[in-house]
């Protein structure tokens, strides 16, 4: 039997989202067509947009459906930078962001963007003073609502307020936070006017049980974004192309369910996570929980196994039927140290010795027990492998 503790990478498809996709897929018609069949599809599409907007507390017109978190982030960052105010070029980039953000900003730096780095704390939280200091004169800023590796939740309300005061447009990556942290685009935007403050927020459907390939970018009405895709003018001209009606319906179903169960599920996951962490540390005293011990995603347990090679430990757990990760799934298969851990002030050796256990809605007591039954032996063998590699 396999025990899946990698929900932060992707979580199982919800039956309700699957059924919504299948039912919507029987609707014939292109949502951009003016005939009756097209308008049937358009009606379902816009109903789905309204449902997603209601969960995120945004106006329906502000919801732009995408293929997932990476596209949403790219549309936000590339779109904001290319439509930036004259005389600005800087991008405020906190350390420890997801690679979808880091790699996009690096590509924009090749086009002339100035990158203003902001440190994160030893717990993985964005330094608010450093963030505020980097804002003046910047073209845009970006930040994670919750760190996808360490699980630490950022004070994004303060970051949004600082951005609004500086008249700098802000993008928030809410991919890891969706379904676990309350998200109100309207509240975070506050009294911001014009193009400053929070203007864009990214989500991905597969993190909450929608199909892979679904997602959205919430874009404020006042925001200036250059589109990545042209050729039809759909979705306010921000994302051209035939719209995915079944994907939108499945996404709407999944985000509604995730929001409805959020409070109860967070309580349940915290109990499981705390039992997992306590059990691991009892069996492996050298294990250390990284990230904020309290203000973190409820299912996240990011642990440093000092002296062990993370990839070796992952492999040994996998052989024992336990699925975990060493960090972001976007870097899976790439044996490199965690940039998040190093940004938190740890050594490269430590950054190669971490595992992320992430629990989700299908996680049960037996999944925790499965980890605890094998972790001591796996650590013993992995730490031996680490010693051999260094000798």
């Amino acid at each position: 039997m396999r025990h899946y503790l990698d929900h932060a990478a992707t979580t199982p498809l919800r039956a309700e989202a699957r059924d919504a996709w299948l039912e919507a897929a029987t609707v014939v018609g292109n949502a951009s067509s003016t005939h009756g069949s097209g308008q049937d599809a358009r009606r379902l599409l816009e109903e789905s947009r309204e449902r997603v907007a209601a969960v995120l507390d945004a106006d329906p017109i502000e919801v732009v459906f995408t293929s997932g978190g990476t596209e949403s982030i790219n549309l936000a960052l590339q779109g904001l930078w290319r439509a930036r105010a004259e005389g600005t070029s800087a991008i405020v980039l906190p350390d420890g962001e997801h690679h979808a953000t880091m790699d996009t900003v690096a590509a924009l730096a090749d086009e002339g963007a100035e990158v203003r780095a902001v440190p994160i704390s030893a717990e993985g939280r964005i330094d608010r003073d450093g963030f505020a200091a980097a804002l003046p004169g910047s073209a845009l800023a970006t930040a994670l609502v919750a760190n996808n590796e360490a699980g630490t939740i950022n004070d994004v309300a303060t970051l949004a307020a600082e951005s609004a005061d500086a008249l700098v447009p802000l993008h928030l990556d809410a991919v890891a936070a969706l379904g676990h942290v309350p998200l109100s685009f309207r509240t975070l935007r506050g009294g911001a006017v014009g193009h400053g403050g929070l203007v864009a927020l990214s989500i991905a459907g597969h993190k909450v049980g929608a199909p892979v390939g679904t997602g959205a970018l919430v874009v404020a009405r006042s925001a200036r974004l250059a589109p990545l895709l042209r050729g039809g003018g759909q979705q306010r001209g921000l994302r051209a192309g035939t719209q995915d009606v079944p994907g939108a319906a499945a996404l709407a179903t999944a985000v509604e369910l995730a929001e409805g169960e959020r409070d109860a599920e967070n309580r349940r996951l915290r109990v499981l996570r705390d039992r997992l962490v306590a059990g691991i540390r009892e069996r492996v005293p050298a294990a250390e929980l990284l990230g904020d011990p309290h203000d973190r995603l409820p299912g996240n347990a990011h642990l440093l196994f000092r002296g062990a090679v993370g990839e070796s430990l992952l492999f040994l757990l996998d052989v024992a039927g336990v699925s975990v990760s060493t960090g972001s799934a976007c870097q899976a298969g790439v044996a490199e140290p965690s940039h998040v851990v190093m940004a938190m002030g740890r050594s490269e050796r430590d950054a190669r010795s971490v595992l992320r256990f992430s629990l989700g809605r299908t996680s049960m007591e037996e999944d925790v027990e499965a980890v605890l039954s094998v972790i001591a032996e796996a650590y013993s063998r992995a730490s031996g492998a680490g010693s051999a590699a260094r000798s």
Side-chain angles (χ1 to χ4, degrees):
M1 179 179 180
R2 180 154 294 282
H3 299 273
Y4 186 75
L5 289 90
D6 198 17
H7 288 261
T10 195
T11 201
L13 179 68
R14 293 175 184 266
E16 300 91 338
R18 177 200 61 207
D19 293 346
W21 191 98
L22 289 171
E23 182 177 354
T26 65
V27 176
V28 178
N30 185 318
S32 294
S33 298
T34 57
H35 50 61
S37 295
Q39 291 309 295
D40 288 342
R42 182 59 175 258
R43 188 175 303 109
L44 179 54
L45 176 71
E46 296 309 323
E47 287 173 355
S48 300
R49 198 185 312 275
E50 290 172 2
R51 293 164 62 193
V52 173
V55 171
L56 299 176
D57 192 21
D59 293 335
I61 196 173
E62 295 177 314
V63 175
V64 177
F65 289 120
T66 68
S67 63
T70 296
E71 184 192 340
S72 295
I73 290 166
N74 271 266
L75 174 56
L77 299 183
Q78 293 191 52
L80 286 169
W81 193 76
R82 296 202 170 103
R84 66 193 183 279
E86 186 176 352
T88 63
S89 66
I91 300 174
V92 178
L93 176 69
D95 295 336
E97 294 290 299
H98 191 279
H99 269 282
T101 294
M102 293 171 56
D103 294 354
T104 302
V105 172
L108 292 174
D110 290 340
E111 297 181 23
E114 171 197 348
V115 180
R116 295 180 179 175
V118 177
I120 59 175
S121 71
E123 293 181 338
R125 182 167 288 107
I126 296 170
D127 183 87
R128 291 176 293 184
D129 291 339
F131 187 87
L135 286 170
S138 293
L140 67 115
T142 187
L144 283 162
V145 176
N147 190 281
N148 55 288
E149 287 191 28
T152 298
I153 298 172
N154 285 302
D155 181 4
V156 291
T158 296
L159 302 184
E162 295 282 2
S163 300
D165 289 344
L167 302 180
V168 173
L170 170 68
H171 161 256
L172 290 178
D173 175 353
V175 171
L178 182 65
H180 304 296
V181 176
L183 296 170
S184 169
F185 188 77
R186 200 180 315 276
T187 299
L188 289 170
R189 181 138 176 81
V193 295
H195 310 301
L198 176 63
V199 297
L201 183 143
S202 299
I203 65 167
H206 73 106
K207 305 293 188 176
V208 290
V212 173
T214 62
L217 179 69
V218 183
V219 183
R221 291 170 178 264
S222 62
R224 295 185 304 201
L225 265 74
L228 297 182
L229 302 175
R230 294 177 173 83
Q234 292 89 346
Q235 304 200 84
R236 296 163 54 192
L238 295 176
R239 188 184 192 264
T242 302
Q243 296 183 77
D244 179 8
V245 176
L251 176 65
T253 299
V255 297
E256 284 179 338
L257 291 170
E259 178 64 15
E261 67 194 24
R262 175 168 54 82
D263 289 343
E265 187 66 1
N266 281 357
R267 288 192 294 271
R268 187 184 76 87
L269 289 178
R270 286 190 192 101
V271 172
L272 283 179
R273 180 202 65 202
D274 291 348
R275 182 178 174 194
L276 174 67
V277 172
I280 290 175
R281 296 185 71 181
E282 178 182 347
R283 290 159 177 79
V284 183
E288 177 186 355
L289 180 68
L290 300 183
D292 191 294
H294 306 294
D295 197 9
R296 67 187 301 130
L297 294 174
N300 175 285
H302 191 232
L303 289 152
L304 167 62
F305 292 87
R306 189 170 284 107
V309 177
E311 290 287 342
S312 299
L313 188 52
L314 182 150
F315 172 77
L316 291 165
L317 290 174
D318 189 44
V319 169
V322 174
S323 300
V324 299
S325 73
T326 55
S328 169
C330 293
Q331 293 302 108
V334 180
E336 65 176 27
S338 166
H339 70 283
V340 174
V341 174
M342 289 193 292
M344 292 161 65
R346 302 294 183 130
S347 67
E348 181 176 332
R349 177 175 293 181
D350 283 352
R352 295 184 182 275
S353 302
V354 291
L355 286 184
R356 182 187 65 185
F357 302 81
S358 50
L359 306 168
R361 98 193 131 74
T362 63
S363 299
M364 306 295 288
E365 294 276 354
E366 50 262 37
D367 298 311
V368 172
E369 288 301 320
V371 175
L372 300 184
S373 69
V374 299
I375 191 64
E377 181 181 355
Y379 174 73
S380 177
R381 294 178 63 185
S383 56
S387 297
R390 291 190 295 272
S391 62

